[in-house]
């Protein structure tokens, strides 16, 4: 079976494009609320407790992402539907996610926002678990850097598209949530319908025991140390960036003195500067990684550059300097994500049997920071009298650890 993974035919640009668009659409629907719309919704419903209420909503939602991604990945790996292994989760997840965002958009209390966001995290993480597993399912090793480089621009493209759309429909709360969600539904459904999905026969799936339930959330780092180090590196990188993504609206208001009405435009401009930098380096980095057969140097460099960008933002006296910092973080993000996804698929414990489950565990490193950052950031702000310089200085130091923790990986150069 394992050999079959390495004997796959090269994929064409039609497949890569549809895969990337579906991945972009998922981030469009999932990250737009994190960056802008949930903060504005919470501030509207509870202006006196906006920061703590936002931390509660995002923190609890992140917990559901933590639980959901490995679980749905494992279920996807074991799906024997006649429609394939990944397709049912792509379609079911995106439809449920859209309905969850509708619940948030029409909520009249923080409790309803919280319920809606927890459901959205579950649903969209089912989509993410399936869509990421398509990479080791379908793409041969010699193309993974290139495809990962393309996918590396999907998250920032989702961010910039989302902030642009919010800016365009800012007068309607319903539209700020549902326009990104509707685009996501279309893109994911098109990819799901055209995917030549893997199929499992019922006889190929063993019954689950209690040890298998535990294994849904665990890959032993002593047995698979390279997977463990790669997971830890991603955790530190995303944790550093989570401070920026979550507290950017409050930073622009409280430190730089902008008004709430200016936020959609300011955030869009910042994300645009970041995204242009990401696109400029990401695809080049992925192709270069395939060409020279090295991954670690790109991941280490990306973490260091992103940290520098956060430190620039930490000391920024004005919005133009903030934009400079966002551009630097974009360069770091592009270098890191262009190669890190290819690296982790190279160190998966079992690419053929447990790809979605193990990638779901890896994606915990993306979700866990969404719970850690909202819990830690208020403490840092409280201890420093609301000083965002300290908040982003700490974030930069954390991101630098992403470079350090990738160095012990041995099986990938």
């Amino acid at each position: 079976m394992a050999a079959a993974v390495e004997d796959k035919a090269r994929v064409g640009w039609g497949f890569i494009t549809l895969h990337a668009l579906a991945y972009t659409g998922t981030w469009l629907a999932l990250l737009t609320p994190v960056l802008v719309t949930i903060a504005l919704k919470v501030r509207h419903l509870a202006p006196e407790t906006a920061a703590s209420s936002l931390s509660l909503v995002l923190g609890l939602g992140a917990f559901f992402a933590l639980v959901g991604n490995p679980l749905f990945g494992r279920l996807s790996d074991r799906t024997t539907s006649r429609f394939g292994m990944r397709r049912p989760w792509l379609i079911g997840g995106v439809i449920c996610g859209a309905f969850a965002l509708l619940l948030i958009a029409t909520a009249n209390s923080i409790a309803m926002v919280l319920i809606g966001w927890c459901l959205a995290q579950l649903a969209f993480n089912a989509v993410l678990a399936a869509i990421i597993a398509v990479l080791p399912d379908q793409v041969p090793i010699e193309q993974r850097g290139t495809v990962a480089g393309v996918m590396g621009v999907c998250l920032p493209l989702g961010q910039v598209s989302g902030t642009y759309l919010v800016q365009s429909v800012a007068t309607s709360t319903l539209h700020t949530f549902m326009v990104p969600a509707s685009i996501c539904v279309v893109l994911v459904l098109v990819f799901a319908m055209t995917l030549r999905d893997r199929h499992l026969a019922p006889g190929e799936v063993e019954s689950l025991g209690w040890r298998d339930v535990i294994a849904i959330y665990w890959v032993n780092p002593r047995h698979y140390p390279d997977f463990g180090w790669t997971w830890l590196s991603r955790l530190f990188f995303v944790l550093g960036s989570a401070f920026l993504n979550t507290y950017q609206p409050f930073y622009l208001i409280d430190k730089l003195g902008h008004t709430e009405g200016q936020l959609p435009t300011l955030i869009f401009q910042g994300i645009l500067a970041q995204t242009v930098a990401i696109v400029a380096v990401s695809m080049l980095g992925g192709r270069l990684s395939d060409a020279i057969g090295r991954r670690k140097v790109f991941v280490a460099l990306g973490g260091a550059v992103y940290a520098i960008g956060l430190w620039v933002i930490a000391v920024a006296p004005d919005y133009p300097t903030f934009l400079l910092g966002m551009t630097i973080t974009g360069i770091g993000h592009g270098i890191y994500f262009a190669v890190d996804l290819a690296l982790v698929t190279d160190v998966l414990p079992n690419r053929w049997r447990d790809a979605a489950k193990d990638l779901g565990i890896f994606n915990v490193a993306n979700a866990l920071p969404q719970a850690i950052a909202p819990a830690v950031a208020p403490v840092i702000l409280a201890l420093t009298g609301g000083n965002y310089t300290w908040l982003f200085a700490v974030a930069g130091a954390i991101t630098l650890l992403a470079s350090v923790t990738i160095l012990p990986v041995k099986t990938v150069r």
Side-chain angles (χ1 to χ4, degrees):
M1 273 297 206
V5 181
E6 313 308 332
D7 292 340
K8 292 186 294 292
R10 292 175 67 86
V11 295
W13 280 102
F15 166 86
I16 295 171
T17 300
L18 291 178
H19 189 199
L21 286 173
Y23 193 48
T24 302
T26 306
W27 287 122
L28 169 67
L30 189 57
L31 285 182
T32 303
V34 175
L35 288 168
V36 188
T37 51
I38 283 185
L40 294 177
K41 182 76 176 182
V42 166
R43 199 175 183 93
H44 173 73
L45 292 174
E48 301 300 323
T49 59
S52 59
S53 295
L54 181 64
S55 295
L56 173 66
V57 171
L58 296 183
L60 231 93
F63 170 77
F64 279 83
L66 282 172
V67 173
N69 202 287
L71 173 62
F72 290 123
R74 185 57 167 160
L75 293 174
S76 176
D77 284 334
R78 299 174 58 81
T79 296
T80 57
S81 161
R82 65 190 180 91
F83 300 107
M85 296 172 63
R86 315 302 181 194
R87 186 177 291 112
W89 300 100
L90 292 170
I91 295 174
V94 77
I95 292 173
C96 291
F99 277 110
L101 292 179
L102 177 62
L103 178 62
I104 299 172
T106 56
N108 56 14
S109 68
I110 296 298
M112 292 304 296
V113 173
L114 176 62
I115 292 170
W117 186 238
C118 291
L119 292 174
Q121 283 281 23
L122 277 176
F124 285 117
N125 272 279
V127 178
L128 287 173
I131 210 167
I132 288 293
V134 170
L135 180 63
D137 278 356
Q138 308 278 347
V139 181
I141 285 179
E142 64 270 17
Q143 276 189 290
R144 284 189 194 148
T146 299
V147 176
V150 174
M151 296 182 73
V153 308
C154 294
L155 186 150
L157 282 177
Q159 288 180 325
V160 73
S161 300
T163 52
Y164 175 77
L165 288 171
V166 168
Q167 175 187 245
S168 303
V169 296
T171 56
S172 169
T173 299
L174 180 65
H175 290 165
T176 60
F177 282 95
M178 297 314 299
V179 171
S182 299
I183 294 172
C184 173
V185 169
V186 171
L187 293 176
V188 172
L189 288 181
V190 169
F191 176 65
M193 293 304 184
T194 58
L195 175 66
R196 294 182 179 178
D197 202 0
R198 283 179 58 194
H199 286 77
L200 282 180
E204 294 183 69
V205 179
E206 299 176 359
S207 59
L208 283 175
W210 67 269
R211 291 181 183 273
D212 298 295
V213 175
I214 295 173
I216 290 174
Y217 299 99
W218 179 249
V219 170
N220 193 326
R222 294 182 63 184
H223 295 162
Y224 305 102
D226 286 353
F227 182 86
W229 285 117
T230 306
W231 185 94
L232 191 61
S233 173
R234 176 67 73 91
L235 177 77
F236 284 133
F237 189 95
V238 177
L239 179 56
S241 63
F243 284 98
L244 176 61
N245 291 338
T246 304
Y247 287 90
Q248 190 178 160
F250 298 150
Y251 164 90
L252 291 170
I253 293 173
D254 297 335
K255 182 182 178 182
L256 297 188
H258 296 284
T259 66
E260 185 175 320
Q262 295 173 304
L263 277 186
T265 299
L266 294 175
I267 292 176
F268 166 68
Q269 290 173 347
I271 297 297
L272 179 62
Q274 188 182 61
T275 301
V276 169
I278 291 171
V279 173
V281 301
S282 185
M283 295 180 66
L284 176 62
R287 293 183 72 107
L288 185 59
S289 173
D290 278 344
I292 67 175
R294 292 185 178 272
R295 312 285 197 209
K296 287 165 55 177
V297 63
F298 294 93
V299 175
L301 178 61
V305 173
Y306 198 102
I308 292 170
L310 285 172
W311 289 331
V312 170
I313 291 171
V315 299
D318 51 33
Y319 187 71
T321 309
F322 167 77
L323 286 180
L324 173 63
M326 290 293 287
T327 302
I328 296 172
T329 63
I331 295 171
H333 181 116
I335 298 171
Y336 186 94
F337 276 88
V339 179
D340 186 57
L341 184 58
L343 192 155
V344 72
T345 59
D346 290 346
V347 299
L348 287 176
N350 190 318
R351 285 193 290 273
W352 190 247
R353 188 189 65 191
D354 297 324
K357 187 268 290 185
D358 291 340
L359 284 167
I361 292 173
F362 184 74
N363 202 53
V364 168
N366 291 325
L368 187 59
Q370 298 177 45
I372 296 174
V376 172
V379 176
I380 297 173
L381 291 172
L383 292 174
T384 60
N387 192 321
Y388 284 91
T389 296
W390 276 106
L391 181 67
F392 292 121
V394 171
I398 292 170
T399 307
L400 188 61
L401 292 175
S403 300
V404 176
T405 51
I406 205 65
L407 299 179
V409 171
K410 294 180 179 177
T411 57
V412 177
R413 292 192 300 167

